[in-house]
Amino acid sequence: MNENAPATTFAYKPLYMQVKDQLVRRLIDGEWQPGQLIPSEMELARQVGVSQGTIRKALDAMTAENLLIRRQGRGTFVASPEESRILFQFFRMVPDDGETSFPQSRILKRDRARATRRDARALDLQAGEAVWLTERLRSIRDKPLLVETIRLPAARFAGFGDVADLPNNVYGLYSQRWGVTIARASERLKAVAASEADAAHLGCATHTPLLEITRVAFDLENKPVELRVSRCLTDMAHYAAELR
Amino acid sequence: MNENAPATTFAYKPLYMQVKDQLVRRLIDGEWQPGQLIPSEMELARQVGVSQGTIRKALDAMTAENLLIRRQGRGTFVASPEESRILFQFFRMVPDDGETSFPQSRILKRDRARATRRDARALDLQAGEAVWLTERLRSIRDKPLLVETIRLPAARFAGFGDVADLPNNVYGLYSQRWGVTIARASERLKAVAASEADAAHLGCATHTPLLEITRVAFDLENKPVELRVSRCLTDMAHYAAELR
DNA sequence: GAGTGGTCTAGACCACGGG
DNA sequence: CCGTGGTCTAGACCACTCC
């Protein structure tokens, strides 16, 4: 399987990286589904034709990217959006008093719309292409926390508008229904003033300072999949970040 | 070198972790200074009495925590706050148009004060203990970006008030002058309204929404060292976060 | 060419989970 | 008990840097 042997070596790629790409391919192609147990290191080493140590480096790299979960004594599993660790991987708003609970949601609007230039740039589409638009209110213990707007390219999410009950954690739905795995996301935070609509939904005064989170989420192939703008009350909660 | 010998709890710790702790100790004790070249893997393996592979795992773990920087063909170096990568590790406000530049600073106030209960809790002090208090305005291309207040425990930063010119990057100063290395930080973000003082410094209207970043920075021994509250204009810049 | 970190292999043993 | 991933070792070779 090794086809480097570069003389003047311009694009050298370590074997374990090539193996990793090959294994990620199995995730992309849906050969390995979220939650599934994948073959053991020994078995993979046999299949791919490299040593167990090289397989291990590839699996470790994928584990570091939260694509896999390894459990000693049990095996290696494909990460799934239902895992509690993954659940909070993308949800960084936590109540000030500490208790981390997942918010419930209420749909405010669902629509089919045309991508604005901003949407198109963020989602790598042509301006005017169809997008699904969802607006919802999320609360913790019945106290409104944030309103958010989610934009999805209609081309990749056929029938999204027909889904009756949108689950609280939509990334699980993306995975189950359309085979789209969210691998990473990029966020930009700003402080903005609440519009009248924001204020009405959140039960605060107009012009109340809100934390605006603009997120672009990417799939396994690093293509943008979702654009989400959340506007959050921060009187009882905050956005938590760890810098290392 | 092995001194775990747990009575009841079977606290098993892998060898490479014990080695890592031992090497981190050398950083804490100042035996290895920021920027310095440390011994090669082979030499360390000989010193510690384990194989090169085990040393490597320890060094890799430290590199993952940004404590070391490894350069193929040259050696392994102690990370230093002057490195450009480290510089931006703790500075996440970037201009919307992309150009990442480090802001200049102007000192507004420097004082010795008593820790409030909040300061004491954050910095693990007794309420009323002495702290150094610094307030400064930071701008990018002469446009005010944020005002921030930095609180340091006076006990660990003797003579801080005598430092004439505070450098832009204070973490380098902490390291050189007091041997304090900032290893990680924890941030909480909220949206707040600009006070009259904020507005005066930032050149904006009172009640303008500001992004408030409350940071606690920790040293190599995981003890809190600095409490910093920054209030940022976000009309031309944003806080960037990557979720994986 | 000598020395560094980076990769790759192979084998032994350990800790964990579940029959 | 077995099979899993996790650790530890030892040695060979590769890519990079500097003299």
Side-chain angles (χ1 to χ4, degrees), chain A residues 9 26 62 124 129 137 148 158 169 217 226:
Chain A
T9 194
R26 299 200 194 181
M62 292 170 72
D124 202 10
E129 272 193 75
L137 174 69
E148 70 186 0
N169 168 25
E226 179 204 65

Side-chain angles (χ1 to χ4, degrees), chain B residues 10 17 22-23 28 43 75 101 121 148 183 205 208 220 229 240:
Chain B
F10 278 68
M17 277 297 189
Q22 181 180 331
L23 299 183
I28 294 172
E43 169 62 14
S101 62
R121 202 175 323 116
E148 70 186 0
T208 298
L220 288 167
V229 180

Side-chain angles (χ1 to χ4, degrees), chain A residues 141-187:
Chain A
R141 294 185 219 109
D142 293 320
K143 174 157 190 333
L145 174 64
L146 62 88
V147 283
E148 70 186 0
T149 307
I150 300 176
R151 287 178 174 77
L152 298 171
R156 287 194 71 173
F157 292 86
F160 181 80
D162 303 331
V163 178
D165 278 311
L166 219 51
N168 199 345
N169 168 25
V170 290
Y171 289 176
L173 177 67
Y174 297 171
S175 164
Q176 287 161 31
R177 183 75 186 273
W178 293 278
V180 173
T181 298
I182 302 299
R184 68 176 194 90
S186 181
E187 295 191 330

Side-chain angles (χ1 to χ4, degrees), chain B residues 87-108:
Chain B
L87 252 181
F88 290 101
Q89 179 184 354
F90 295 111
F91 192 73
R92 305 288 278 271
M93 290 298 303
V94 306
D96 291 338
D97 56 28
E99 274 320 296
T100 303
S101 62
F102 211 65
Q104 62 265 35
S105 304
R106 186 164 64 84
I107 304 290
L108 300 175

